[in-house]
C-alpha cells in the first residue's frame, strides 16, 4: 500500500475506534462512571464467583496499577467490592463483588452486553467472525510494531 491510501485507511480505522470508545464512554457517563470504571465492572461481572486480581484487571485493560487501585478504592468505599487474600500469593488480593456490587453491576453490565450482542448480530455470523479475525490479526501487527524499537525491524 502507498502513503496517502494507507494514511486514509489508518485515519478511518482510528476514527472508528474512537467512535466505539465514545459509545462506551457515553454508557459509562449515563451510570455516573468513567469508562475505565465501566470496564472494571464488566471484567468483574464476567468473572463470577472467583473475581479477579488487580494485576489481571491491569493486564486486561492495559492500565497501570494506580488507575486500577483508585477504581477499586472508589468501589470499596461504595460497598461494591471486597478484597480477599489469594492463598497462592498473599501479595495479591482478589477482588469480588459484594451483593450490593452485584446488584449495581446488574443494572449496568447486562444491558451493555446485550447492546454489544445486538450490534454484533447485526453483522451476521460470517461478517462478525471476519471482524474478530481481522481485528486479531491487526492487533498482532500493532503489538509487534509498537514493541519494536524505532528503526529496528525483526
Amino acid at each position: 500500500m502507498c502513503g496517502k491510501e494507507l494514511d486514509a485507511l489508518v485515519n478511518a480505522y482510528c476514527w472508528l475506534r474512537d467512535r466505539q470508545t465514545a459509545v462506551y464512554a457515553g454508557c459509562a457517563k449515563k451510570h455516573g462512571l468513567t469508562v475505565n470504571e465501566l470496564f472494571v465492572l464488566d471484567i468483574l461481572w464476567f468473572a463470577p464467583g472467583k473475581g479477579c486480581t488487580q494485576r489481571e484487571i491491569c493486564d486486561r485493560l492495559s492500565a497501570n496499577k494506580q488507575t486500577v487501585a483508585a477504581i477499586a478504592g472508589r468501589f470499596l468505599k461504595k460497598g461494591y467490592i471486597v478484597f480477599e487474600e489469594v492463598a497462592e500469593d498473599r501479595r495479591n488480593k482478589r477482588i469480588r463483588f459484594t451483593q450490593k456490587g452485584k446488584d449495581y453491576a446488574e443494572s449496568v453490565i447486562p444491558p451493555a452486553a446485550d447492546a454489544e450482542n445486538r450490534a454484533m448480530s447485526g453483522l451476521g455470523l460470517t461478517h462478525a467472525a471476519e471482524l474478530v479475525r481481522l481485528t486479531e490479526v491487526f492487533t498482532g501487527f500493532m503489538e509487534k510494531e509498537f514493541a519494536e524499537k524505532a528503526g529496528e525491524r525483526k
Side-chain angles (χ1 to χ4, degrees):
M1 280 193 234
C2 63
K4 286 186 180 184
E5 291 169 334
L6 188 59
D7 286 346
L9 289 171
V10 169
N11 287 332
Y13 181 84
C14 290
W15 186 76
L16 291 169
R17 180 204 59 216
D18 294 343
R19 280 180 59 196
Q20 287 181 350
T21 301
V23 169
Y24 286 112
C27 175
K29 185 176 181 180
K30 186 171 93 173
H31 295 284
L33 299 166
T34 67
V35 72
N36 280 338
E37 288 172 334
L38 175 69
F39 292 159
V40 169
L41 279 182
D42 184 76
I43 289 167
L44 291 172
W45 180 261
F46 288 104
K50 66 178 182 129
C52 293
T53 65
Q54 284 190 36
R55 172 58 37 213
E56 290 167 341
I57 295 170
C58 288
D59 291 347
R60 173 87 185 271
L61 293 180
S62 298
N64 63 43
K65 193 173 180 179
Q66 292 82 0
T67 298
V68 173
I71 292 169
R74 288 192 292 276
F75 286 171
L76 184 66
K77 279 185 182 179
K78 292 179 179 183
Y80 294 166
I81 62 167
V82 293
F83 292 104
E84 297 175 348
E85 278 191 9
V86 175
E88 321 67 81
D89 183 358
R90 293 181 182 259
R91 292 173 298 161
N92 279 316
K93 300 266 190 270
R94 188 162 298 285
I95 301 170
R96 289 188 199 226
F97 279 130
T98 61
Q99 188 58 52
K100 182 178 178 180
K102 283 180 196 170
D103 293 344
Y104 176 70
E106 188 169 18
S107 72
V108 178
I109 301 305
D114 287 346
E116 289 171 323
N117 288 344
R118 287 191 310 275
M120 187 67 78
S121 71
L123 294 174
L125 189 57
T126 301
H127 289 318
E130 185 68 358
L131 174 66
V132 172
R133 187 188 72 76
L134 288 172
T135 302
E136 185 169 350
V137 169
F138 181 67
T139 300
F141 285 132
M142 289 284 290
E143 290 168 341
K144 178 181 179 275
E145 292 299 325
F146 277 83
E148 292 179 353
K149 294 181 183 162
E152 279 185 33
R153 297 281 173 202
K154 290 183 179 177

